[in-house]
Amino acid sequence: MAAQRIEGKPVAEQIKSEVREGVAQLIRDKGVRPGLGVILVGDDPASQTYVNSKGKACADLGMHSETIRMSADSSEAVVLAQVAAWNADPRIHGILVQMPLPKHINEQRVIEAIDPRKDVDGFHPVNVGRLVIGMECLRPCTPAGIQELLVRSGNDPAGKHVVVIGRSNIVGKPIANILLQKAKGANAVVTIAHTGMKDISHLIRQADILIAAVGRPESITGAMLKPGCVVIDVGINRITDPSSPRGYRNVGDVHFASAAEVASAITPVPGGVGLMTIAMLMQNTLQAARRLSC
Ligand code: NAP
């Protein structure tokens, strides 16, 4: 039987429409329009595309947004000053500094300068700590989106063995922490795999739900999977493709065709996890605005 394709688009659209309603209600009840402030340093084309999409999503959902574009040689002090200005600005409820930053700017110092109540990327140590101990917090967008994809596609992780490949601070660690909480939509047994172990094939084979956040194109194939497992492919890897007009295409960390023959459900790349991040950013901005206006 063919695997269920877990499409990101309908889930992301559903979340955005819930956020749109939430925004309208907050304006009605409290006169507060959620606002997002985005800082972009430099002219990396991919970052510019992300930042433009964030601004468009805000407009579409009735939110206020401001984008400050700075040249690549801007100092850390200038970035920190903008963060401080938005920390104190009642029209801005969420602050996002587009990563990566140029090398001369200390990313961690910038993250820690953001008021944790406005940290809509969920990277501030206060939010990371609150996530780990199961307190309410702003959660990183891509991992939060993965949980929504699982739950809303009918693949509740409760009681399942989830194997996460990758331990980055933006995907691997937070998704593991989200899914192991004793909470609705979580309560999984979680294993995190990384390069510290030479051969992780026996771990992959045990996964009821496999979350691949490896950054290696199509490195996980169907033959490695437990039959009937659910596969969430976080990877976005650009590979050369002379048959494409652009000369390249994006693939995941999982070899889709072979995995779809073994798995019961799988996210495509593109079209899966990648579409969730902005929807979750919008949800976080609404959540921050609600809390700040209490
Ligand atoms: P990262 O920081 O490079 O982390 C990759 C992780 O995979 C590391 O923990 C690494 O282990 C582990 N790893 C690499 N090769 C391995 C192997 N052979 N066996 C076991 N573990 C291995 O990457 P990331 O930022 O988490 O991103 C992962 C992927 O997701 C990338 O393709 C990225 O583009 C994509 N991504 C997508 C979204 C989205 O959809 N919106 C968002 C973020 C990232 P070590 O720690 O031991 O080195």
Side-chain angles (χ1 to χ4, degrees):
M1 207 177 81
Q4 170 198 7
R5 261 176 86 100
I6 305 176
E7 303 282 357
K9 194 166 180 197
V11 180
E13 287 305 323
Q14 194 180 16
I15 289 168
K16 284 197 230 164
S17 96
E18 291 163 10
V19 171
R20 193 179 287 111
E21 279 172 32
V23 168
Q25 192 177 358
L26 195 61
I27 294 170
R28 252 194 334 266
D29 295 352
K30 300 256 170 85
V32 172
R33 183 182 296 277
L36 175 69
V38 179
I39 299 174
L40 173 62
V41 186
D43 48 18
D44 174 62
S47 294
Q48 282 182 353
T49 307
Y50 292 143
V51 165
N52 291 341
S53 313
K54 286 163 188 171
K56 275 193 204 132
C58 284
D60 179 39
L61 304 187
M63 293 190 192
H64 168 67
S65 81
E66 294 178 29
T67 302
I68 304 279
R69 292 181 165 80
M70 299 181 182
S71 63
D73 60 357
S74 301
S75 69
E76 185 177 304
V78 171
V79 176
L80 292 175
Q82 184 58 50
V83 168
W86 277 341
N87 279 342
D89 186 340
R91 292 166 309 170
I92 296 295
H93 307 93
I95 301 173
L96 186 145
V97 181
Q98 185 66 45
M99 302 290 171
L101 288 169
K103 286 202 168 52
H104 65 277
I105 300 178
N106 184 319
E107 288 186 352
Q108 196 56 31
R109 226 174 356 242
V110 171
I111 289 169
E112 289 183 35
I114 297 170
D115 181 337
R117 297 169 305 169
K118 297 189 176 187
D119 166 41
V120 283
D121 249 345
F123 295 155
H124 191 289
V126 166
N127 283 312
V128 175
R130 290 175 72 96
L131 173 62
V132 171
I133 61 174
M135 290 175 74
E136 211 178 334
C137 62
L138 290 165
R139 304 177 309 160
C141 300
T142 303
I146 292 170
Q147 184 187 35
E148 293 286 3
L149 272 182
L150 283 169
V151 172
R152 295 189 193 222
S153 66
N155 294 291
D156 195 316
K160 299 284 167 29
H161 182 199
V162 175
V163 175
V164 179
I165 315 181
R167 57 174 160 184
S168 72
N169 289 336
I170 62 167
V171 188
K173 282 183 201 148
I175 188 57
N177 277 306
I178 287 171
L179 296 183
L180 69 77
Q181 297 302 323
K182 198 166 186 175
K184 208 163 162 251
N187 212 19
V189 171
V190 181
T191 300
I192 308 179
H194 48 74
T195 61
M197 184 179 270
K198 265 212 176 86
D199 183 6
I200 59 165
S201 56
H202 62 292
L203 297 176
I204 296 175
R205 169 67 72 172
Q206 286 171 24
D208 300 316
I209 298 175
L210 182 76
I211 300 180
V214 196
R216 288 173 187 257
E218 298 179 325
S219 54
I220 297 154
T221 61
M224 300 161 77
L225 302 172
K226 173 176 172 178
C229 70
V230 173
V231 177
I232 303 292
D233 191 353
V234 191
I236 303 174
N237 308 288
R238 183 178 285 194
I239 59 166
T240 49
D241 180 1
S243 70
S244 150
R246 297 180 298 184
Y248 69 86
R249 69 193 159 93
N250 288 327
V251 297
D253 292 337
V254 178
H255 184 264
F256 185 87
S258 64
E261 283 175 16
V262 181
S264 61
I266 180 167
T267 59
V269 178
V273 175
L275 297 178
M276 296 301 298
T277 305
I278 288 185
M280 300 313 294
L281 174 68
M282 297 297 108
Q283 196 185 69
N284 275 357
T285 306
L286 172 61
Q287 186 188 336
R290 278 186 178 137
R291 294 239 183 86
L292 286 161
S293 59
C294 273

